[in-house]
Amino acid sequence: MGNPLFKKKPMDWLLNEAKATGVHTLKRTLGPVSLTALGVGAIIGAGIFVLSGLGAHYAGPGLMLSFVISGLGCAFAGLCYAEFAALIPLAGSAYTYAYAALGELMAWIIGWDLTLEYAMGASTVSSGWSNHFIEFLNIFHVRMPLWLAYDHWTAVHTAENIIAREMAHAADPTLAQGTQEFLTKVGDILSAQSPVLLQRAHDLVNAPRVFGFEIGFNLPAFLIALVITAILVIGISESARFNATIVVVKVAVVLFVILLGMRYIHPGNWGHDWSTFAPMGFGGIGAGAAYIFFAYIGFDAVSTTAQEAKNPQRDLPIGIIASLVVCTILYILVAAVLTGMVPWKEINIEAPLSVAFLDRGLTKASYLITAGALAGLTSVMLVMLLGQTRVLYSMANDGLLPRKFFAAIHPKFRTPYKNTILVGLLAAIVGSLTPIEDIGRMVNIGTLLAFVIVCIAVLVLRKTNPGQARPFRTPWVPVVPILGIIFNGYMMYKLGWINWARLIIWLLIGLVIYFGYSRKHSRVQRNDRSAL
């Protein structure tokens, strides 16, 4: 009879659920253009506007190759996602695919893991959005208190940067801001971490204390997450229109960055040989790929909208692959411009592109980039939160989470409004209290695990159910899935043991919930064929 933990959800159940209609189902309004726009909306944003700075500090000018490695890993996984999205057009994405191919326990693990990707991903992006919003306010000379504009750790780091610039100017007033010499001087002051620097930075933050501890609360990150949550509650077609408008704006800004930035490239910044192009070797490029991998999260979120697509079996593969191809090309070009404009050690981590143009005296261009980044990160947040709520909706329909809450559909808006509000609140709280680097790394390892499992699932289902009709077939099986496993597994390895420890702890918490609640209420375990 087999181990019940690995009991699979029958394919006929899945296909019947995919055909379900009525007021208690999600509303089908999305075509191929909307789906591609959702993919581009989720992909372009955090990677270009936020995490490219972090990746450059590992890969150096080799950041271009980091984007190639990440892009290849995503391309292999994307082809596997496309097969499943056409085969099983349900909202659960990788969770649903694992249920069909690998059984319930693996499905639960991947569903729980996707929470790391989507909810924590939205938190990361809300924090990045806040950084650019503060830059935007600065254009109009509006200053927020640092403790109310950032989490505590980021507020202190930002204050140190401000004080270091003041100290550099005081030490040598002849240094022009934005020049290589000035930036090097600032870097030296920060590296020294003198008591004067630290004390002046804490005085600048001027944070209130609770129980003797300084606090910081990223208010803009908190508020934008709540605004996006409200948009998602109102409806999918409204959300898609809002996203499509933003996508046009941010793609235009990205093209502007590439075309204008090309004029300010100094080829010497790319290095003169392998050791200067990749200062930390291929390992640094691999680490850079692992950290900027977050840039590509989004194409998989397209598959979570399967039950809201008009013709999912045709349109989902188009949306997944088209959005991935467009964004990979743009990413490589932006990485080339960024590392060509700024020496890699001096690239800003919080807002790399806008600061790069600002430091070159291109103030108006920096303003436009900041506005584009705000638009871009807004749509990323929308798709991240959308993906999370649809995965929880699918898990609740299978009985693995309380159905009355997580699968409750609003009678007017036809959206899973209760779980949307909960997820939005959690994303708002995490984004307002946690440094962006820590959340981003957790998101990456969770997503990479999802990609590896989807690649494995394609291999398994081709073996166990070869006769099933597949509207889209992953090409060159088993080569493509195996390459997906290798590339994404390598990037998981490069994220380091701390992130592995976080992932394991997160999965252990999930297993406690599974054995405490989900297994007892599972429709598959009870052989409950009631769909929706």
Side-chain angles (χ1 to χ4, degrees):
M1 187 168 166
N3 191 328
L5 293 178
F6 297 99
K7 191 172 182 180
K8 298 173 185 176
K9 191 170 182 181
M11 191 63 70
D12 61 319
W13 288 28
L14 292 164
L15 296 178
N16 284 336
E17 287 179 20
K19 296 172 185 173
T21 57
V23 293
H24 297 296
T25 64
L26 299 172
K27 192 175 180 181
R28 293 191 181 276
T29 60
L30 304 178
V33 174
S34 294
L35 291 167
T36 302
L38 281 173
V40 173
I43 296 172
I44 293 182
I48 287 183
F49 296 117
V50 180
L51 291 178
S52 56
L54 180 63
H57 283 263
Y58 288 91
L63 181 66
M64 290 175 273
L65 287 183
S66 295
F67 275 113
V68 172
I69 291 172
S70 283
L72 284 172
C74 291
F76 298 136
L79 290 168
C80 296
Y81 264 90
E83 175 169 320
F84 271 120
L87 177 65
I88 309 168
L90 286 170
S93 185
Y95 155 77
T96 302
Y97 311 154
Y99 217 153
L102 305 174
E104 183 170 282
L105 181 61
M106 287 304 296
W108 168 264
I109 288 172
I110 204 66
W112 184 249
D113 170 71
L114 285 174
T115 304
L116 266 186
E117 175 182 351
Y118 293 133
M120 294 303 99
S123 298
T124 303
V125 177
S126 72
S127 181
W129 186 95
S130 174
N131 288 330
H132 285 85
F133 181 69
I134 291 158
E135 290 284 333
F136 188 72
L137 290 180
N138 288 343
I139 296 171
F140 304 101
H141 308 290
V142 176
R143 301 281 190 271
M144 289 184 68
L146 292 179
W147 69 270
L148 206 55
Y150 303 99
D151 65 88
H152 173 66
W153 296 273
T154 306
V156 171
H157 178 69
T158 302
E160 288 176 358
N161 271 300
I162 294 170
I163 299 300
R165 284 174 172 264
E166 291 177 359
M167 291 171 70
H169 181 69
D172 188 353
T174 62
L175 288 177
Q177 291 201 28
T179 62
Q180 180 61 52
E181 293 81 6
F182 178 80
L183 295 174
T184 301
K185 182 69 174 176
V186 170
D188 291 341
I189 293 171
L190 287 170
S191 299
Q193 288 286 290
S194 67
V196 173
L197 171 70
L198 298 177
Q199 184 57 52
R200 287 182 62 185
H202 278 277
D203 292 343
L204 181 60
V205 172
N206 194 26
R209 291 179 176 268
V210 176
F211 303 116
F213 295 98
E214 290 184 346
I215 63 167
F217 184 80
N218 192 331
L219 182 63
F222 184 82
L223 294 178
I224 188 60
L226 295 187
V227 169
I228 296 299
T229 300
I231 292 170
L232 285 171
V233 167
I234 291 172
I236 185 64
S237 57
E238 290 77 9
S239 300
R241 281 197 294 271
F242 175 75
N243 175 73
T245 303
I246 287 178
V247 165
V248 171
V249 172
K250 70 178 176 180
V251 169
V253 170
V254 169
L255 292 173
F256 170 79
V257 166
I258 293 167
L259 294 173
L260 179 61
M262 286 171 65
R263 298 172 57 189
Y264 294 89
I265 288 173
H266 299 287
N269 288 336
W270 288 330
H272 307 288
D273 53 26
W274 175 254
S275 63
T276 51
F277 178 74
M280 299 181 191
F282 192 80
I285 290 173
Y291 287 123
I292 56 94
F293 175 79
F294 184 85
Y296 285 99
I297 296 174
F299 76 83
D300 55 316
V302 174
S303 63
T304 67
T305 63
Q307 284 172 268
E308 290 151 292
K310 295 175 186 174
N311 187 355
Q313 293 180 316
R314 182 199 69 184
D315 296 343
L316 285 172
I318 293 173
I320 290 169
I321 295 167
S323 60
L324 194 53
V325 169
V326 168
C327 295
T328 300
I329 294 168
L330 292 176
Y331 272 13
I332 293 168
L333 292 173
V334 168
V337 167
L338 177 63
T339 55
M341 287 181 67
V342 186
W344 68 272
K345 287 184 179 179
E346 312 304 334
I347 292 174
N348 181 276
I349 289 180
E350 278 82 22
L353 284 175
S354 60
V355 171
F357 280 78
L358 194 61
D359 283 344
R360 295 300 172 274
L362 302 169
T363 308
K364 291 183 178 178
S366 175
Y367 296 166
L368 182 61
I369 293 165
T370 299
L374 282 174
L377 294 170
T378 302
S379 67
V380 175
M381 234 184 308
L382 183 143
V383 183
M384 291 281 160
L385 290 174
L386 172 68
Q388 176 62 79
T389 58
R390 272 43 178 185
V391 170
L392 293 176
Y393 168 82
S394 289
M395 294 174 77
N397 269 325
D398 290 332
L400 303 186
L401 291 172
R403 188 171 174 180
K404 288 185 178 178
F405 183 88
F406 288 97
I409 299 293
H410 194 282
K412 178 181 178 182
F413 301 132
R414 301 271 296 277
T415 57
Y417 67 108
K418 290 182 180 178
N419 96 48
T420 300
I421 293 169
L422 175 65
V423 168
L425 275 173
L426 289 175
I429 292 167
V430 172
S432 62
L433 297 175
T434 314
I436 188 171
E437 295 95 329
D438 290 340
I439 321 173
R441 289 164 188 161
M442 284 181 67
V443 171
N444 286 1
I445 198 163
T447 308
L448 287 163
L449 177 62
F451 286 7
V452 168
I453 290 178
V454 168
C455 291
I456 292 171
V458 164
L459 293 173
V460 171
L461 205 61
R462 284 287 185 99
K463 193 89 171 171
T464 58
N465 196 352
Q468 181 69 41
R470 289 168 167 82
F472 177 88
R473 297 178 70 88
T474 302
W476 307 308
V477 172
V479 175
V480 166
I482 289 172
L483 287 173
I485 294 166
I486 292 170
F487 271 75
N488 293 300
Y490 172 72
M491 285 187 279
M492 287 183 75
Y493 163 72
K494 295 302 292 184
L495 281 169
W497 71 268
I498 291 179
N499 293 296
W500 277 90
R502 289 171 176 161
L503 176 65
I504 291 167
I505 291 168
W506 179 255
L507 294 180
L508 287 174
I509 294 170
L511 289 175
V512 170
I513 297 172
Y514 174 75
F515 286 105
Y517 176 88
S518 306
R519 189 181 176 195
K520 300 170 188 173
H521 295 83
S522 164
R523 282 178 48 219
V524 169
Q525 297 292 350
R526 293 184 287 116
N527 201 30
D528 176 7
R529 288 181 170 264
S530 62
L532 295 167

